[in-house]
Amino acid sequence: MRMIAVAMLAAAVPAAAYGQAGTAVSLDRLAQDVVTNNPERQFYQQQIRTAGIERQAAGRWADPEAVVEFGERRQNDRVTGAGLGDGTAYAVSIVQPIEFGGRIALRRAIAERQVELARNGLQQFDATLASRARSLGYGLFAADEKAAAARSVATRMRTLARVLVSRDPAGPAPQLEVASLESGAISAERTASTADAEANSILYELNQLRGAPFTARIRIVRPDMDLPDLPPGARLAADASANNFELKALRAQFEQQGLRVDLAGKSRIPIVSVGPYFDRSRSDTRETNYGVRLSTSLPLWNRQAGDVAAEQGREAQANATLVNAERRIAREVFDQAAQYNAKRRALARWNGTSPERFADAARDADRNYRLGAVPLATYMQMQQSYIDATNAVLDTRREALDALLQLRALNGGNALTQ
């Protein structure tokens, strides 16, 4: 009787612990929720606003410069040297620096590339978030399916063990069968608890990404199980080269650096400052002067050559980084495509109804074992095969989905079309 009570208690725990189902959402709805509510997204939006302000500032002239001078004036006779009078003197001038050689246009173009980089960063962040949400969402669905399969096997075994215990045992065989069934139930319950722990870990990360309380529960609606055909590898690599966020950013940075080289070369062209001036002095007489003041630098020593060389070095580094990234991303495209196709072929060989067939076989084995038509070894093997087949199909499908999501991320978040 004690064994029966323990078995009944163990079978009742999962139902009580997991009886409350969360809100049902699809993978698309989950991805949209994560992208919309992620707290870190505000940083990228602020970067776009900041880059826009910098673009506006880059197109403006330099601020005018005001100069005020105060002093004393002493006037002497040129012949006798006698003092003719002392008095105050002051001067006021306002000049506007004017840049030539298109430097303002170059700075504005550099700032335009910065706005482009900020927008590209937001798009990349959104695509990465959506891809991660879909991957985690399917992982949550798979973990729940694994736990359900293992828990059903454990319940079936413990129920059968209770039936055997309730009968009048004749010899050691029934007791050994009960022990074997309880051992199998413990193994299945451990598999279920591992899947539950994985589901909780995924759920906490999803709640963090979507800014929800960590205790919030959600349930993923059974996603679409179709895995589409991929375009040829060369087409995938070409699309990734054109659409990849990292490559877009590196190309913008390379163009931006080329503009900085041009701007550094233009720095030899002097800046001209022009504006009105007014000065007045007073001793025995009052003198007033006014007119236009013009000032500029004389670039005789070519101190700008070092700045130009430094910017050219950065341009070469940016080009090398871009070429290396293009090769690396092309390799990742072929790698992920090969992994996706391998997993897809495996799933096609297994047939999409394999878990359901093994579930039916496990139930048939339970019924036939009760009727004495199959031995315990066959019964135990079918129950474990059901768990293993379910895990294998779900894990393989998740790996295929992750590879597909990686390919979409490499393609700038765009769908892969033939």
Side-chain angles (χ1 to χ4, degrees):
M1 294 300 294
R2 181 176 180 272
M3 186 178 298
I4 296 176
V6 171
M8 293 178 65
L9 179 61
V13 168
Y18 300 96
Q20 296 181 349
T23 304
V25 296
S26 65
L27 288 183
D28 291 339
R29 174 66 181 277
L30 177 64
Q32 181 182 1
D33 187 23
V34 167
V35 171
T36 302
N37 298 318
N38 187 268
E40 296 180 41
R41 196 172 186 271
Q42 299 175 2
F43 166 76
Y44 293 92
Q45 293 172 327
Q46 181 60 41
Q47 289 293 97
I48 294 176
R49 289 191 290 268
T50 301
I53 295 173
E54 291 176 351
R55 177 182 57 186
Q56 295 175 359
R60 297 170 183 162
W61 285 11
D63 291 332
E65 300 173 359
V67 180
V68 180
E69 300 175 0
F70 294 96
E72 290 286 330
R73 174 174 177 164
R74 174 173 295 176
Q75 189 174 12
N76 297 322
D77 186 274
R78 289 192 304 173
V79 179
T80 64
L84 299 179
D86 297 336
T88 60
Y90 64 89
V92 178
S93 64
I94 299 177
V95 294
Q96 171 65 55
I98 301 176
E99 297 180 277
F100 297 97
R103 281 187 287 194
I104 292 179
L106 284 172
R107 278 199 294 268
R108 186 174 179 85
I110 292 172
E112 288 281 358
R113 298 303 185 280
Q114 201 63 34
V115 173
E116 181 181 342
L117 286 171
R119 290 174 177 166
N120 185 79
L122 177 60
Q123 293 172 356
Q124 182 177 13
F125 182 73
D126 287 348
T128 302
L129 266 184
S131 177
R132 182 59 178 165
R134 287 188 171 90
S135 177
L136 290 173
Y138 186 83
L140 180 60
F141 167 79
D144 289 341
E145 291 287 299
K146 292 177 185 178
R151 195 167 290 117
S152 67
V153 168
T155 301
R156 190 179 297 130
M157 287 182 173
R158 290 200 178 276
T159 301
L160 185 56
R162 289 199 300 270
V163 172
L164 294 178
V165 169
S166 64
R167 296 175 181 174
D168 185 19
Q175 294 295 332
L176 294 177
E177 290 182 351
V178 169
S180 180
L181 288 169
E182 290 180 343
S183 174
I186 290 173
S187 177
E189 288 167 352
R190 184 183 185 281
T191 301
S193 64
T194 302
D196 288 333
E198 181 183 3
N200 285 329
S201 179
I202 292 172
L203 185 61
Y204 296 150
E205 183 175 352
L206 281 172
N207 287 337
Q208 176 187 352
L209 292 176
R210 65 196 187 103
F214 287 108
T215 55
R217 310 294 299 185
I218 59 173
R219 179 174 56 84
I220 304 300
V221 177
R222 179 174 292 274
D224 183 11
M225 298 299 182
D226 292 334
L227 297 175
D229 293 332
L230 291 181
R235 170 72 180 278
L236 287 173
D239 289 345
S241 178
N243 301 322
N244 183 265
F245 289 117
E246 181 182 354
L247 293 182
K248 285 183 178 180
L250 289 175
R251 290 187 185 113
Q253 290 173 357
F254 179 66
E255 294 174 2
Q256 190 180 50
Q257 191 57 43
L259 294 172
R260 287 197 174 100
V261 172
D262 294 340
L263 183 60
K266 301 285 187 181
S267 61
R268 288 208 65 196
I269 301 175
I271 298 176
V272 177
S273 298
V274 61
Y277 75 90
F278 173 87
D279 68 66
R280 171 173 290 181
S281 59
R282 180 176 9 182
S283 55
D284 59 329
T285 62
R286 178 178 297 178
E287 183 178 352
T288 301
N289 299 302
Y290 54 86
V292 176
R293 174 168 293 167
L294 184 69
S295 64
T296 186
S297 60
L298 299 176
L300 297 178
W301 318 124
N302 193 21
R303 293 183 59 186
Q304 299 83 6
D307 296 336
V308 174
E311 296 296 347
Q312 288 175 338
R314 296 188 185 99
E315 184 183 27
Q317 182 182 11
N319 182 54
T321 302
L322 175 59
V323 172
N324 181 67
E326 288 174 340
R327 297 285 296 171
R328 173 175 51 81
I329 287 173
R331 173 183 58 80
E332 291 178 0
V333 166
F334 281 99
D335 181 25
Q336 294 297 330
Q339 293 190 36
Y340 173 80
N341 287 327
K343 305 300 181 183
R344 188 169 175 267
R345 285 193 298 268
L347 289 169
R349 287 195 303 269
W350 295 342
N351 189 346
T353 60
S354 291
E356 288 76 9
R357 292 208 321 271
F358 277 96
D360 293 339
R363 286 190 289 269
D364 289 341
D366 182 75
R367 182 171 57 256
N368 286 300
Y369 176 74
R370 292 170 182 267
L371 297 174
V374 296
L376 180 64
T378 302
Y379 172 84
M380 298 292 291
Q381 182 179 2
M382 289 308 305
Q383 304 306 315
Q384 187 60 44
S385 296
Y386 169 43
I387 295 176
D388 293 342
T390 300
N391 292 351
V393 170
L394 290 171
D395 288 342
T396 305
R397 191 174 296 279
R398 183 181 183 183
E399 292 165 359
L401 178 62
D402 286 343
L404 182 63
L405 291 173
Q406 284 293 331
L407 285 171
R408 288 180 178 174
L410 292 170
N411 193 33
N414 299 317
L416 306 173
T417 58
Q418 292 287 344

